[in-house]
Amino acid sequence: MGRAPCCDKANVKKGPWSPEEDAKLKEYIEKFGTGGNWIALPQKAGLRRCGKSCRLRWLNYLRPNIKHGEFSDEEDRVICSLYANIGSRWSIIAAQLPGRTDNDIKNYWNTKLKKKLMGFVSSSHKIRLLNHQHQIITNGYNNNYCPQISLLQASSLLISSNYSNNNNTSPCYETNIPTIPSSSTFLNTGASASCTSGITASTFQESNFVGPATSSDGSYGVSNCGENLDFRNYMYNGVIGEEEDQNNSKFLINEGGGKLISGSGFYVEQQNALDYSSLEEIKELISTNHITTCNNNSLLLDEIKKKKS
DNA sequence: AAGAGGCCCAACCGCATGCTG
DNA sequence: CCAGCATGCGGTTGGGCCTCT
């Protein structure tokens, strides 16, 4: 026996909603609510529409506080981060973005964000060029050099923000702070300055200092750790750039005329320079890297994982 | 100016899940 | 426990709009 149709297909209107239909639906729901029964609603509201269609129209377009238009960087970051962790669970993702619908996010992902990410991946040679085993990347500067990087950071792809403060005062914290291997190279210090063996990430974080700066004028190669560091802002402002100092020494990552936006750095554990050509590979990459998100998201993801299990 | 192709997004479809009797 | 039904969800589609040639 087949499934009973949810409505009389021959008698319902399909396609785009007219302003009159919108008004009818809106007025009805505002007056009487949905009554917990979408199937019966169109008839009561005087609409020749399927109940499912009404529900969709209300949820995706008519209900109050729906946000339309451009997604913010923060929203991008949340979507990427959640997608990396839970996949295409659009309704869960939408629940974390007030005013956004699952349909909106799905469309946004499929039409723009995915391409943005793929675009980054195809241009990620910029990172691959920096193919040390372990690197500290510091931020600052501006968003001109490689704008995709901020998206990358937002999604925790490749870059694992494996360290920050080891206490709870920072919006983003980790209890297991890795020790930076002695073979690490600090990009912000210019020519291959090496890490002092045994220095831990927390040391960097807590002492306004990242890496052994060797720049002759002293203005480059040192990153301050801003007080009350907001790792998320830092991530957004963070840019991998290249510039020269007065002595024409090249610095792959720098502070841009001494104008440090926030501070600290990313600990990047880069395994091999690979070509990532498909989404599956991106996801695989995400899953094999340490993904760390700021506290709110961490809690959220814990909850989601609990629910899933 | 106009046609082709691509992009975007609202809406549809069908399956999964949850609820109820 | 089961069947029937409503709802929720994610994948897909189609048409309007935009851009390019």
Side-chain angles (χ1 to χ4, degrees):
Chain A
M1 187 179 100
R3 165 182 290 270
C6 64
C7 54
D8 180 3
K9 302 269 182 197
N11 243 329
V12 296
K13 191 183 163 204
K14 290 207 274 185
W17 281 65
S18 68
E20 292 75 27
E21 288 176 307
D22 280 348
K24 268 188 186 176
L25 181 60
K26 198 157 185 270
E27 195 188 331
Y28 182 86
I29 293 179
E30 280 171 355
K31 261 189 191 164
F32 307 107
T34 65
N37 188 346
W38 284 105
I39 299 299
L41 188 145
Q43 203 181 3
K44 290 180 187 169
L47 289 161
R48 280 185 51 232
R49 288 277 181 175
C50 171
K52 284 175 91 168
S53 178
C54 293
R55 176 184 162 271
L56 213 61
R57 186 65 182 168
W58 173 254
L59 292 178
N60 288 342
Y61 199 81
L62 295 176
R63 78 182 147 101
N65 304 322
I66 288 284
K67 218 193 276 180
H68 292 291
E70 287 291 296
F71 281 70
S72 66
D73 282 350
E74 172 67 11
E75 288 173 316
D76 278 5
R77 190 184 66 76
V78 170
I79 295 168
C80 286
S81 175
L82 289 174
Y83 186 88
N85 282 275
I86 62 172
S88 57
R89 311 278 293 273
W90 304 119
S91 57
I92 294 175
I93 296 173
Q96 306 312 314
L97 298 173
R100 299 292 187 184
T101 68
D102 55 350
N103 208 34
D104 243 6
I105 293 167
K106 180 172 57 181
N107 282 333
Y108 180 58
W109 171 263
N110 284 330
T111 58
K112 291 178 186 167
L113 207 45
K114 190 164 73 179
K115 286 172 193 168
K116 244 181 179 176
L117 257 184
M118 297 297 278
F120 163 75
V121 167
S122 67
S123 65
S124 61
H125 64 279
K126 284 169 185 163
I127 278 203
R128 290 182 207 144
L129 288 174
L130 317 178
N131 191 24
H132 303 273
Q133 267 287 307
H134 301 284
Q135 299 165 337
I136 291 290
I137 295 178
T138 65
N139 82 316
Y141 212 39
N142 55 45
N143 284 323
N144 297 328
Y145 184 73
C146 184
Q148 296 96 332
I149 293 296
S150 54
L151 173 63
L152 174 79
Q153 289 161 345
S155 68
S156 301
L157 182 65
L158 286 177
I159 295 176
S160 55
S161 53
N162 257 354
Y163 77 94
S164 70
N165 284 349
N166 60 349
N167 57 54
N168 294 358
T169 58
S170 166
C172 185
Y173 59 91
E174 280 270 322
T175 47
N176 299 318
I177 293 171
T179 299
I180 305 289
S182 57
S183 60
S184 297
T185 299
F186 297 98
L187 298 185
N188 67 315
T189 61
S192 67
S194 295
C195 172
T196 306
S197 179
I199 288 181
T200 66
S202 59
T203 309
F204 299 138
Q205 187 75 20
E206 288 164 1
S207 63
N208 293 328
F209 171 72
V210 174
T214 54
S215 175
S216 57
D217 65 6
S219 65
Y220 294 100
V222 178
S223 280
N224 295 320
C225 259
E227 285 180 23
N228 303 318
L229 178 69
D230 183 333
F231 212 77
R232 290 164 297 183
N233 288 338
Y234 173 76
M235 288 166 91
Y236 283 123
N237 293 331
V239 152
I240 296 173
E242 177 181 304
E243 66 176 12
E244 293 180 0
D245 71 6
Q246 298 141 337
N247 304 315
N248 299 325
S249 298
K250 281 208 169 184
F251 295 89
L252 287 171
I253 309 301
N254 226 315
E255 301 162 3
K259 198 177 172 190
L260 187 65
I261 295 173
S262 63
S264 186
F266 290 102
Y267 175 48
V268 177
E269 191 165 348
Q270 199 174 355
Q271 286 146 355
N272 297 302
L274 300 172
D275 286 320
Y276 307 103
S277 54
S278 73
L279 254 194
E280 279 312 302
E281 282 176 293
I282 293 175
K283 287 173 78 172
E284 171 69 16
L285 179 67
I286 290 169
S287 69
T288 54
N289 275 274
H290 308 289
I291 294 171
T292 308
T293 53
C294 294
N295 58 346
N296 288 342
N297 264 356
S298 296
L299 295 173
L300 164 70
L301 292 170
D302 283 348
E303 267 177 42
I304 292 167
K305 279 169 189 165
K306 266 183 217 161
K307 272 187 191 168
K308 277 176 83 176
S309 62

